[in-house]
Amino acid sequence: MGRDDELRQLSAAVARLAAGRGGVVLVEGQAGLGKSRVIDAGVVTTAREAGVRHLVGRIFELTATRPFGLVSDLLLDVEELDVAGLSASDLPVDAAADVAYRVVDAVRSTVAKLAADAALVLVAEDIHDADAGSLLALHDLVHVTAEVPLLLVLSRRLHPASDEVLAVVERIRDVGGVVLALEPLSEQHVADLLTATLGAAPGPRLLELTGRAAGNPLFVTELVAGLLEEQALRQTDGTIELEEPVLPASLTSTILRRLRSLDPRSRALLRDAAVLGTSFRIDDLARSRGDDPVAVADGLAPAFSAGFLVDDGDRAAFRHALVRDAVYEDISSAVRATLHVRAGRWLAERGAPASDVAYHLAIGATSGDDEAVSWLRRAAEEAAPVDPRLAVERLQRALELTPADRPAVHELRVALARCLLWSGRLAEAGETAEHVLARPAMSPPEEAEARFVLARVLAYRGRIPASIEQVQLALREGLASGARRAQLLADLALRRGLDGDLPGADDAARRALVAGQELADSLTVRTARCALAWNAALRGEAAAALAYAERAVRSPGHTDAVEPVQARLYLGFARLHAGDLAGARVVLEDVHEQGAQLGAVWAAGLAHSLLAIVGWLAGDWDGAASAARDAVAAAEAGAARTWLPLAAAGGALVAASRGEREVAARLLAAGEEVVAVAGGIHVGAGLLGLARARLTSDGSVEGRRSALQADVAYGAYTHVPFHLLDAPIEQLAAIAGPRGVEVLEDLASEAAGAALARSRAGDDTDALVAAATTLGSAGLVFHQARVGEDAAVALARAGRSAEASALADETLSSYAALAADAELDRCRARFRDAGLRPGVRGARRRPATGWASLTPAEIRVARLVAEGLTNPDIADRLYVSRRTVESHVSSVLRKLSLSSRVELAVLVADRGAGGPGSP
């Protein structure tokens, strides 16, 4: 009733699928509004009638916390895929990816192949209760709908709305999917529903009573069913009316009264079934009771006949979750605990995943229940590499069940501290680690682990010297051994690098790498390679930095949630310092998304910080400003702030050029606070000083010299060119000094070459023009404009007026495109002094469609598509996930109004690879 428009849209989606066009539909609304009924009528029935293959998956309490539970149910009948086998916790992991992403890739590949063979409908219901792995897979499948005849239909309640669920919803909206928001029924539709149900129009008293259900069709129908059961309705003069205006105490009590019509055995079976969830297998129910399956099926027959249960494929299900909840809540807490314990033990005997066993045992457990604690610990270990947030929940429950005087309490706190760290709850992680360290009689392994966590927390907070102190304490003789000692040594390498001790960092990293390889400890190996990549990148050793970072990404093994995220962060850092701005953006955007999916929210601030610098250098100033704001917000919300000065510098440099002095001042204050906490030594200190110098006085020689010296002293040589490209040309000698020039001579980047040519240009006008061209080919938009204005002035003074005017126009156009109002005003004044009168051009922003709308990352992907690479090939080439590639491909096709990869390849070939704006 009242769903005609929704049914039309769903049927149209199936019709489009039959014609070869895929799509995605989300049906959302509060519980009981009929989402499943609408999907069944509009999609499943329509697909069945059209002969289109359709698969339906639902989430069940028994599998709600099992990784990929919803996807496993959805693809249960797909013989080509064994989701349960792929996601098994003991599955060996090769060098390609971690377990979660391997499953996601397998699901995507299998579904894409099935849909390519024949149109396919996938219906995943109740995603609000789905596990993180299933949501990650569904998030990935959204993009597949643009490439093959696949209709993906999802349903969800508006509450609860986890970040993962909201990410799926946002992606559906991004790709233009259909979102059907079911609203409560109108009064007229409720009346129509009552008429259809009762066979006569409802009377006023009945309408008043059902009106209290606020248009929820589930509540209305269950309420009416209860009234009919109690014979509380009568028919007179063609209407159905209440005998008397009475309201049942609650809808739950109405359902429970109906249950009394069943015999005691049926009620007992329903009680046990409610413990298993809203749906269950008859065999599971029978075996958990130690009963005969046939006898259990016979005992449930009255419940089926009365409508409490319905057939749901190979499972039995409560007609509504409300029915199950009513039965479950009616069980006394003591009996409920006993039933859960019984179910948990049976699942353990059956060899069920630890998460399923722990779920039941934890509900039925009381303080001191070692069995439940043991299973919760196993379930936490199972979840930690792919969902540290879930691991935190299980460890916290284990702590609740463990008496304070038990030794296990301290082991649990240590494990909890680590999972809190990787889930981004830095303050709690630090407090938990400090609580462990406050014990007078902790064991050496406990102390080493607690100091490892505390050191990481301090590092993420920007307190690098304090972090180094904790690592060194943990490395004391006899405290840490084996893999833990190797991991601490690798962490020491990272901290020394952050503290500007690059030689010391190299030494620690190489020793850690050897130890990690001997121990086959993947975390140590990845971390050591990340440290080496950091050091090489800053020194300008681009090839070495990229090699270390790429090997870190490809390092085999995955035992901790930090590993894949950390390695990609440092790959983004290496690409940024190698001048591959588009490649850096692709990786860093992938880091942010992957971190959110895995619950590694600590990574958000780090990724945003580097993206701010990428945007500043590449001329994506809106993106740089946004990334800087996001980095500050993430740090304030508790995410890592280690690299916040980089974000602040990028954002402040943009704001200063745009004349947004208050914005720049706020960002500088945020960044300088972190530098002060780090003792004044920081990788972002030099660029932050550059931004400060530009904000206080554009011609400040001393401020610029101090900023440059900060980067030279730190060892951040790759930053040096940007100091000298930004400074007024007449001040270069005073700012650079002999050391600055030496650094430029040792670097091999386009920026360094242009800066060196600029510092030596003198009257060599052509050298300035060539330097500007070099910067343009490197994608350094702002710095090209800075040198371009030097060249335009030099050309004018040399009497080459036509060339000067053309270059002046181009320079002003570049500043206008960046909305760099402060630069425009300064540059126009400079051109007037040189006798130039260039045209006035308005600001240009990136359009929404066409080649000019493509981001650098999208251009990079478009090139590789034109080379004939598949999405997996592109992902391997760029060291990003396949879902990121698919996202970029879909975006490119949409912006260019293309329908296939072939059309994209042809268009790229027609445009060529070297022209302005071409890919």
Side-chain angles (χ1 to χ4, degrees):
M1 295 293 175
R3 307 300 188 199
D4 292 344
D5 183 57
E6 289 86 351
L7 291 172
R8 278 194 296 271
Q9 292 193 61
L10 291 171
S11 298
V14 177
R16 288 193 296 271
L17 178 69
R21 286 181 293 163
V24 57
V25 179
L26 171 66
V27 181
E28 59 183 16
Q30 297 174 352
L33 291 183
K35 298 180 288 296
S36 296
R37 295 291 294 275
V38 167
I39 291 173
D40 183 71
V43 176
V44 177
T45 300
T46 305
R48 184 184 299 114
E49 292 173 349
V52 175
R53 184 180 183 184
H54 54 280
L55 301 173
V56 179
R58 297 181 178 87
I59 190 67
F60 309 109
E61 277 75 2
L62 198 59
T63 58
T65 60
R66 181 191 301 176
F68 300 98
L70 176 56
V71 171
S72 295
D73 189 72
L74 176 63
L75 303 176
L76 184 65
D77 295 328
V78 177
E79 296 180 356
E80 297 89 338
L81 183 66
D82 177 15
V83 175
L86 280 172
S87 60
S89 59
D90 60 347
L91 181 71
V93 182
D94 59 22
D98 59 272
V99 172
Y101 279 90
R102 186 191 298 188
V103 177
V104 169
D105 288 344
V107 169
R108 178 198 48 74
S109 176
T110 302
V111 169
K113 183 178 184 303
L114 291 174
D117 293 338
L120 176 65
V121 176
L122 294 183
V123 177
E125 296 210 42
D126 297 331
I127 66 170
H128 52 272
D129 282 334
D131 61 282
S134 291
L135 291 171
L136 182 60
L138 293 172
H139 186 278
D140 197 56
L141 287 177
V142 169
H143 298 293
V144 179
T145 62
E147 300 180 357
V148 294
L150 170 67
L151 176 59
L152 181 63
V153 182
L154 311 175
S155 72
R156 74 163 184 127
R157 296 180 190 171
L158 299 180
H159 302 285
S162 66
D163 290 344
E164 293 87 350
V165 170
L166 293 178
V168 175
V169 174
E170 185 64 26
R171 186 49 55 94
I172 292 172
R173 297 184 189 278
D174 287 346
V175 302
V178 177
V179 179
L180 302 179
L182 296 191
E183 299 294 337
L185 299 182
S186 67
E187 291 183 0
Q188 182 58 53
H189 285 135
V190 169
D192 293 341
L193 176 59
L194 292 171
T195 300
T197 302
L198 300 171
R205 287 197 301 271
L206 179 56
L207 284 175
E208 180 182 359
L209 178 60
T210 55
R212 298 193 181 190
N216 187 300
L218 171 62
F219 294 170
V220 171
T221 54
E222 291 295 347
L223 177 56
V224 169
L227 294 172
L228 286 171
E229 186 70 21
E230 292 191 357
Q231 299 182 347
L233 301 176
R234 60 180 173 82
Q235 183 170 355
T236 58
D237 299 327
T239 63
I240 297 291
E241 187 59 285
L242 283 170
E243 284 283 352
E244 54 184 10
V246 295
L247 177 67
S250 68
L251 190 57
T252 300
S253 65
T254 299
I255 297 171
L256 292 176
R257 282 197 299 273
R258 293 178 62 202
L259 284 170
R260 290 200 294 268
S261 64
L262 298 177
D263 61 81
R265 176 165 171 75
S266 293
R267 291 202 300 270
L269 288 170
L270 280 182
R271 178 200 63 184
D272 290 359
V275 171
L276 294 180
T278 54
S279 72
F280 55 93
R281 298 179 188 277
I282 300 294
D283 278 357
D284 288 348
L285 176 59
R287 291 174 182 173
S288 68
R289 290 171 51 89
D291 211 336
D292 177 64
V294 175
V296 169
D298 290 342
L300 289 175
F304 280 99
S305 299
F308 291 109
L309 296 178
V310 294
D311 284 322
D312 187 22
D314 61 342
R315 306 174 73 92
F318 285 88
R319 184 178 174 217
H320 297 297
L322 183 62
V323 176
R324 181 262 175 179
D325 293 342
V327 176
Y328 183 80
E329 293 299 328
D330 193 47
I331 306 171
S332 69
S333 58
V335 174
R336 191 186 307 164
T338 299
L339 294 175
H340 275 295
V341 169
R342 187 176 70 184
R345 287 174 176 168
W346 172 76
L347 288 169
E349 292 175 4
R350 196 186 69 175
S355 58
D356 294 347
V357 178
Y359 167 77
H360 286 285
L361 293 181
I363 291 176
T366 57
S367 180
D369 190 333
D370 292 337
E371 180 185 26
V373 169
S374 175
W375 279 102
L376 283 165
R377 291 183 66 174
R378 289 173 59 181
E381 292 169 1
E382 181 183 274
V386 293
D387 192 347
R389 291 165 298 185
L390 180 57
V392 166
E393 294 176 9
R394 291 167 174 169
L395 289 169
Q396 287 175 331
R397 177 58 175 152
L399 274 167
E400 291 173 2
L401 296 173
T402 306
D405 58 351
R406 297 277 182 90
V409 165
H410 312 301
E411 298 174 10
L412 288 169
R413 283 206 179 99
V414 169
L416 176 62
R418 192 181 186 94
C419 291
L420 285 168
L421 171 67
W422 299 146
S423 63
R425 295 160 65 173
L426 302 182
E428 294 173 73
E431 291 171 3
T432 304
E434 288 174 342
H435 184 82
V436 172
L437 293 171
R439 286 182 59 232
M442 58 186 158
S443 68
E446 289 172 357
E447 180 180 353
E449 176 74 2
R451 294 196 186 281
F452 172 86
V453 171
L454 185 56
R456 283 264 177 169
V457 170
L458 290 168
Y460 291 150
R461 292 297 192 195
R463 299 174 58 187
I464 305 304
S467 176
I468 291 174
E469 181 183 0
Q470 288 298 322
V471 175
Q472 290 174 331
L473 286 171
L475 284 169
R476 297 196 311 271
E477 189 67 32
L479 195 61
S481 60
R484 172 54 69 239
R485 185 172 186 82
Q487 291 168 10
L488 284 162
L489 190 59
D491 264 25
L492 179 62
L494 281 182
R495 302 301 175 275
R496 284 177 172 170
L498 290 172
D499 203 39
D501 179 11
L502 302 192
D506 278 339
D507 175 66
R510 291 194 171 93
R511 286 189 289 131
L513 184 59
V514 171
Q517 289 171 333
E518 290 177 351
L519 295 166
D521 183 72
S522 59
L523 178 57
T524 298
V525 170
R526 288 178 194 253
T527 304
R529 285 175 174 158
C530 287
L532 291 167
W534 170 276
N535 302 341
L538 290 174
R539 288 192 292 255
E541 300 165 0
L546 288 171
Y548 284 129
E550 287 166 358
R551 291 192 70 185
V553 171
R554 292 186 178 275
S555 294
H558 174 86
T559 59
D560 228 321
V562 68
E563 293 185 48
V565 180
Q566 177 177 271
R568 286 177 172 86
L569 270 172
Y570 281 86
L571 176 59
F573 186 85
R575 285 184 173 179
L576 163 61
H577 285 74
D580 181 7
L581 302 180
R585 186 192 303 274
V586 170
V587 172
L588 293 169
E589 288 175 347
D590 184 62
V591 165
H592 181 261
E593 185 176 351
Q594 183 186 8
Q597 293 290 352
L598 292 178
V601 293
W602 52 267
L606 304 179
H608 286 312
S609 294
L610 296 183
L611 283 169
I613 295 296
V614 170
W616 169 60
L617 292 174
D620 178 15
W621 279 16
D622 289 339
S626 176
R629 289 193 300 270
D630 288 343
V632 172
E636 291 174 348
R641 54 193 294 124
T642 320
W643 296 344
L644 184 61
L646 289 171
L653 286 164
V654 169
S657 291
R658 288 180 164 177
E660 300 168 347
R661 298 180 63 82
E662 292 183 2
V663 174
R666 286 197 300 271
L667 288 169
L668 285 169
E672 288 166 350
E673 178 184 355
V674 176
V675 172
V677 169
I681 301 173
H682 197 282
V683 68
L687 293 179
L688 207 60
L690 173 60
R692 173 64 72 184
R694 296 196 71 231
L695 188 63
T696 54
S697 172
D698 200 30
S700 170
V701 175
E702 185 55 39
R704 290 178 178 275
R705 183 190 298 121
S706 296
L708 174 61
Q709 289 173 347
D711 270 329
V712 171
Y714 183 92
Y717 298 152
T718 46
H719 295 177
V720 171
F722 302 110
H723 290 274
L724 301 182
L725 289 171
D726 185 85
I729 193 167
E730 63 273 10
Q731 297 179 359
L732 287 181
I735 292 170
R739 183 63 180 130
V741 174
E742 289 176 7
V743 169
L744 292 179
E745 290 173 340
D746 290 339
L747 294 174
S749 67
E750 292 92 341
L756 191 61
R758 185 174 186 246
S759 67
R760 295 173 173 172
D763 296 327
D764 191 346
T765 302
D766 291 331
L768 286 174
V769 174
T773 301
T774 298
L775 293 170
S777 66
L780 299 170
V781 178
F782 170 70
H783 296 90
Q784 178 189 22
R786 291 286 274 186
V787 178
E789 65 176 272
D790 293 336
V793 170
L795 286 168
R797 289 172 178 167
R800 296 160 64 176
S801 301
E803 295 173 79
S805 294
L807 189 52
D809 278 345
E810 182 180 338
T811 298
L812 291 176
S813 178
S814 295
Y815 284 143
L818 296 170
D821 294 340
E823 306 299 343
L824 279 169
D825 293 341
R826 178 191 54 73
C827 188
R828 287 192 180 107
R830 188 181 181 195
F831 285 165
R832 284 195 299 271
D833 291 343
L836 285 169
R837 295 292 184 270
V840 179
R841 304 191 181 189
R844 297 178 299 161
R845 300 298 178 106
R846 180 176 288 151
T849 59
W851 283 115
S853 70
L854 300 185
T855 66
E858 290 168 345
I859 290 174
R860 184 180 178 92
V861 170
R863 282 180 177 154
L864 297 177
V865 169
E867 291 178 17
L869 273 66
T870 64
N871 285 357
D873 291 337
I874 296 173
D876 289 342
R877 178 79 64 86
L878 299 180
Y879 301 102
V880 300
S881 67
R882 296 178 184 181
R883 73 186 191 290
T884 296
V885 176
E886 290 166 358
S887 174
H888 285 309
V889 171
S890 298
S891 179
V892 169
L893 294 176
R894 184 181 70 254
K895 288 180 178 180
L896 300 181
S897 299
L898 302 175
S899 59
S900 71
R901 299 164 68 92
V902 174
E903 292 179 0
L904 174 60
V906 171
L907 195 53
V908 171
D910 288 345
R911 291 182 63 87
S918 77

